[in-house]
Coordinates of all heavy atoms in Angstrom, one line a residue:
T56 N -2.8 -1.0 2.8 CA -2.7 0.4 2.4 C -1.3 0.7 1.9 O -0.3 0.0 2.3 CB -3.0 1.3 3.6 OG1 -3.0 2.7 3.1 CG2 -2.1 1.1 4.7
N57 N -1.2 1.7 1.0 CA 0.1 2.2 0.6 C 0.3 3.6 1.1 O 1.2 4.3 0.6 CB 0.2 2.1 -1.0 CG 0.4 0.7 -1.5 OD1 1.0 -0.1 -0.8 ND2 -0.1 0.5 -2.7
D58 N -0.6 4.0 2.0 CA -0.5 5.4 2.5 C 0.6 5.4 3.6 O 0.6 4.7 4.6 CB -1.8 5.8 3.1 CG -1.8 7.2 3.7 OD1 -1.2 7.4 4.8 OD2 -2.4 8.1 3.0
L59 N 1.6 6.2 3.3 CA 2.8 6.3 4.2 C 2.4 6.7 5.6 O 2.9 6.1 6.6 CB 3.8 7.3 3.6 CG 5.2 7.3 4.3 CD1 5.9 6.0 4.2 CD2 6.1 8.4 3.6
N60 N 1.6 7.6 5.8 CA 1.2 8.1 7.1 C 0.4 7.0 7.9 O 0.7 6.8 9.1 CB 0.3 9.3 7.0 CG 0.0 10.0 8.3 OD1 1.0 10.2 9.1 ND2 -1.2 10.2 8.7
L61 N -0.5 6.3 7.2 CA -1.2 5.2 7.9 C -0.2 4.1 8.3 O -0.3 3.5 9.4 CB -2.3 4.6 7.0 CG -3.5 5.5 6.8 CD1 -4.5 4.9 5.8 CD2 -4.2 5.7 8.1
L62 N 0.8 3.8 7.5 CA 1.8 2.8 7.8 C 2.6 3.2 9.0 O 2.9 2.4 9.9 CB 2.7 2.5 6.6 CG 2.0 1.7 5.4 CD1 2.9 1.7 4.2 CD2 1.6 0.3 5.9
H63 N 2.9 4.5 9.0 CA 3.7 5.0 10.2 C 2.9 4.8 11.5 O 3.4 4.4 12.5 CB 3.9 6.5 10.0 CG 5.2 6.8 9.2 ND1 5.7 8.1 9.2 CD2 6.0 6.1 8.5 CE1 6.8 8.1 8.4 NE2 7.0 6.8 8.0
I64 N 1.6 5.1 11.4 CA 0.7 5.0 12.6 C 0.6 3.6 13.0 O 0.8 3.3 14.2 CB -0.7 5.6 12.3 CG1 -0.6 7.1 12.1 CG2 -1.7 5.2 13.4 CD1 -1.9 7.7 11.6
K65 N 0.4 2.7 12.1 CA 0.3 1.2 12.4 C 1.6 0.7 13.0 O 1.6 0.0 14.0 CB 0.0 0.4 11.2 CG -1.5 0.5 10.8 CD -1.8 -0.4 9.6 CE -3.2 -0.2 9.2 NZ -3.6 -1.2 8.2
L66 N 2.8 1.1 12.5 CA 4.0 0.7 13.0 C 4.3 1.3 14.4 O 4.7 0.5 15.3 CB 5.2 1.2 12.1 CG 5.6 0.2 11.0 CD1 6.6 0.8 10.1 CD2 6.2 -1.1 11.6
K67 N 3.9 2.5 14.6 CA 4.1 3.1 15.9 C 3.3 2.4 17.0 O 3.7 2.2 18.1 CB 3.8 4.6 15.9 CG 4.8 5.5 15.2 CD 4.4 6.9 15.3 CE 5.5 7.8 14.6 NZ 5.2 9.2 14.6
E68 N 2.0 2.0 16.6 CA 1.2 1.3 17.5 C 1.8 -0.1 17.9 O 1.8 -0.4 19.1 CB -0.2 1.1 16.9 CG -1.1 2.3 16.8 CD -2.3 2.1 16.0 OE1 -2.6 0.9 15.5 OE2 -3.1 3.0 15.9
E69 N 2.3 -0.8 16.9 CA 2.9 -2.1 17.2 C 4.2 -2.0 18.0 O 4.4 -2.8 18.9 CB 3.2 -2.8 15.9 CG 2.0 -3.3 15.1 CD 1.3 -4.5 15.8 OE1 2.0 -5.3 16.5 OE2 0.1 -4.6 15.7
L70 N 5.0 -1.0 17.6 CA 6.4 -1.0 18.2 C 6.5 -0.3 19.5 O 7.4 -0.5 20.3 CB 7.3 -0.3 17.2 CG 7.3 -0.9 15.8 CD1 8.3 -0.1 14.9 CD2 7.7 -2.4 15.8
S71 N 5.5 0.5 19.9 CA 5.6 1.2 21.1 C 5.5 0.3 22.4 O 5.9 0.7 23.5 CB 4.6 2.4 21.2 OG 3.3 1.8 21.2
V72 N 5.0 -0.9 22.1 CA 4.8 -1.8 23.3 C 5.7 -3.0 23.2 O 5.6 -3.9 24.0 CB 3.3 -2.3 23.4 CG1 2.4 -1.1 23.7 CG2 2.8 -2.9 22.1
K73 N 6.6 -3.1 22.2 CA 7.4 -4.3 22.0 C 8.9 -3.9 21.9 O 9.2 -2.9 21.3 CB 7.0 -5.0 20.7 CG 5.6 -5.6 20.8 CD 5.3 -6.3 19.5 CE 3.9 -6.9 19.5 NZ 3.6 -7.5 18.2
K74 N 9.7 -4.8 22.5 CA 11.1 -4.6 22.3 C 11.5 -5.5 21.1 O 11.4 -6.8 21.2 CB 11.9 -5.1 23.6 CG 13.3 -4.8 23.6 CD 14.1 -5.1 24.9 CE 13.3 -5.6 26.0 NZ 14.2 -6.0 27.1
I75 N 12.0 -4.9 20.1 CA 12.1 -5.6 18.8 C 13.6 -5.5 18.3 O 14.2 -4.5 18.4 CB 11.2 -5.1 17.7 CG1 9.7 -5.2 18.2 CG2 11.3 -5.8 16.4 CD1 8.7 -4.6 17.3
L76 N 14.0 -6.6 17.7 CA 15.3 -6.7 16.9 C 14.9 -6.7 15.5 O 14.2 -7.6 15.0 CB 16.1 -7.9 17.3 CG 17.3 -8.2 16.4 CD1 18.3 -7.0 16.6 CD2 17.9 -9.5 16.7
F77 N 15.4 -5.6 14.7 CA 15.2 -5.6 13.3 C 16.5 -5.8 12.6 O 17.5 -5.3 13.0 CB 14.7 -4.2 12.8 CG 13.4 -3.7 13.4 CD1 13.3 -2.9 14.5 CD2 12.3 -4.1 12.8 CE1 12.1 -2.5 14.9 CE2 11.0 -3.7 13.2 CZ 11.0 -2.9 14.3
V78 N 16.5 -6.6 11.5 CA 17.6 -6.7 10.7 C 17.2 -6.2 9.3 O 16.2 -6.8 8.7 CB 18.2 -8.1 10.6 CG1 19.3 -8.2 9.6 CG2 18.7 -8.6 11.9
L79 N 17.9 -5.2 8.8 CA 17.6 -4.7 7.4 C 18.8 -5.2 6.6 O 19.9 -4.6 6.7 CB 17.5 -3.2 7.4 CG 16.4 -2.6 8.2 CD1 16.4 -1.1 8.2 CD2 15.0 -3.1 7.8
D80 N 18.7 -6.3 5.9 CA 19.8 -7.0 5.2 C 20.0 -6.5 3.8 O 19.0 -6.3 3.1 CB 19.4 -8.5 5.2 CG 20.6 -9.3 4.7 OD1 21.8 -9.0 4.9 OD2 20.3 -10.4 4.1
D81 N 21.2 -6.2 3.5 CA 21.7 -5.8 2.2 C 21.1 -4.5 1.8 O 20.5 -4.3 0.8 CB 21.3 -6.9 1.1 CG 22.2 -6.8 -0.1 OD1 23.3 -6.2 0.0 OD2 21.8 -7.3 -1.2
F82 N 21.3 -3.5 2.6 CA 20.8 -2.1 2.5 C 21.8 -1.3 1.6 O 22.9 -1.2 2.0 CB 20.7 -1.5 3.9 CG 19.7 -0.3 3.9 CD1 18.5 -0.5 4.5 CD2 20.1 0.9 3.5 CE1 17.6 0.6 4.6 CE2 19.2 2.0 3.5 CZ 18.0 1.8 4.1
W83 N 21.3 -0.9 0.5 CA 22.2 -0.1 -0.5 C 21.8 1.4 -0.5 O 22.7 2.2 -0.9 CB 22.0 -0.7 -1.9 CG 22.6 -2.0 -2.1 CD1 22.1 -3.2 -1.6 CD2 23.7 -2.3 -3.0 NE1 22.9 -4.2 -2.1 CE2 23.8 -3.7 -2.9 CE3 24.5 -1.6 -3.8 CZ2 24.8 -4.4 -3.7 CZ3 25.5 -2.2 -4.5 CH2 25.6 -3.6 -4.4
H84 N 20.6 1.7 -0.3 CA 20.0 3.0 -0.6 C 20.6 4.1 0.4 O 20.4 3.9 1.6 CB 18.5 2.9 -0.5 CG 17.8 4.0 -1.1 ND1 17.8 4.3 -2.4 CD2 17.0 5.0 -0.5 CE1 17.0 5.3 -2.7 NE2 16.5 5.8 -1.5
D85 N 21.2 5.1 -0.1 CA 21.8 6.1 0.8 C 21.1 7.5 0.7 O 21.7 8.5 0.8 CB 23.3 6.2 0.6 CG 23.7 6.7 -0.8 OD1 22.8 6.9 -1.6 OD2 24.9 6.8 -1.0
N86 N 19.8 7.5 0.4 CA 19.0 8.7 0.4 C 18.5 9.0 1.8 O 17.7 8.3 2.4 CB 17.9 8.5 -0.6 CG 17.0 9.8 -0.7 OD1 16.5 10.3 0.2 ND2 17.0 10.3 -1.9
Y87 N 19.0 10.1 2.3 CA 18.7 10.5 3.7 C 17.2 10.7 3.9 O 16.6 10.3 5.0 CB 19.5 11.8 4.1 CG 19.3 12.1 5.6 CD1 19.9 11.4 6.6 CD2 18.4 13.2 5.9 CE1 19.7 11.7 7.9 CE2 18.2 13.5 7.3 CZ 18.9 12.7 8.2 OH 18.7 13.0 9.6
V88 N 16.5 11.3 3.0 CA 15.0 11.5 3.1 C 14.3 10.2 3.2 O 13.4 10.1 4.1 CB 14.5 12.4 2.0 CG1 13.0 12.5 2.0 CG2 15.2 13.8 2.0
D89 N 14.6 9.3 2.4 CA 14.0 8.0 2.4 C 14.3 7.2 3.7 O 13.4 6.6 4.4 CB 14.4 7.1 1.3 CG 13.8 7.6 -0.1 OD1 12.8 8.3 0.0 OD2 14.3 7.1 -1.1
W90 N 15.6 7.3 4.2 CA 16.0 6.7 5.4 C 15.2 7.3 6.6 O 14.7 6.6 7.5 CB 17.5 6.8 5.7 CG 17.9 6.5 7.1 CD1 18.3 7.3 8.1 CD2 17.8 5.1 7.6 NE1 18.5 6.6 9.2 CE2 18.2 5.2 9.0 CE3 17.4 3.9 7.2 CZ2 18.3 4.2 9.8 CZ3 17.5 2.8 8.0 CH2 17.9 2.9 9.3
T91 N 15.0 8.6 6.6 CA 14.3 9.3 7.7 C 12.9 8.8 7.7 O 12.3 8.6 8.8 CB 14.4 10.8 7.5 OG1 15.8 11.2 7.5 CG2 13.7 11.5 8.7
S92 N 12.3 8.7 6.6 CA 10.9 8.3 6.5 C 10.7 6.8 7.0 O 9.7 6.5 7.6 CB 10.4 8.3 5.0 OG 9.1 8.0 4.9
L93 N 11.7 6.0 6.8 CA 11.7 4.6 7.3 C 11.9 4.6 8.8 O 11.2 3.8 9.5 CB 12.7 3.7 6.6 CG 12.8 2.3 7.1 CD1 11.5 1.5 6.9 CD2 14.0 1.6 6.4
I94 N 12.9 5.3 9.3 CA 13.3 5.2 10.7 C 12.3 5.8 11.6 O 12.2 5.5 12.8 CB 14.7 5.7 10.9 CG1 15.4 5.3 12.2 CG2 14.8 7.2 10.8 CD1 15.6 3.8 12.3
L95 N 11.6 6.9 11.2 CA 10.7 7.6 12.1 C 9.8 6.8 12.9 O 9.8 6.9 14.2 CB 9.9 8.6 11.2 CG 9.1 9.6 12.0 CD1 10.0 10.6 12.8 CD2 8.2 10.4 11.1
P96 N 9.0 5.8 12.4 CA 8.2 5.0 13.2 C 8.9 4.0 14.0 O 8.5 3.5 15.1 CB 7.2 4.4 12.3 CG 7.9 4.4 11.0 CD 8.8 5.6 11.0
L97 N 10.1 3.6 13.6 CA 10.9 2.6 14.3 C 11.5 3.2 15.6 O 11.8 2.4 16.5 CB 12.0 2.1 13.4 CG 11.6 1.4 12.1 CD1 12.8 0.9 11.3 CD2 10.5 0.4 12.3

């Protein structure tokens, strides 16, 4: 799916039960709205 809401739900389901280390390598984008959309389920 490319539906942002469905991806949020799937990520929340996976991440709520796991202790995870994420590396976001070579991050250039400084748009706050996009960052908020990415970080919300994390």
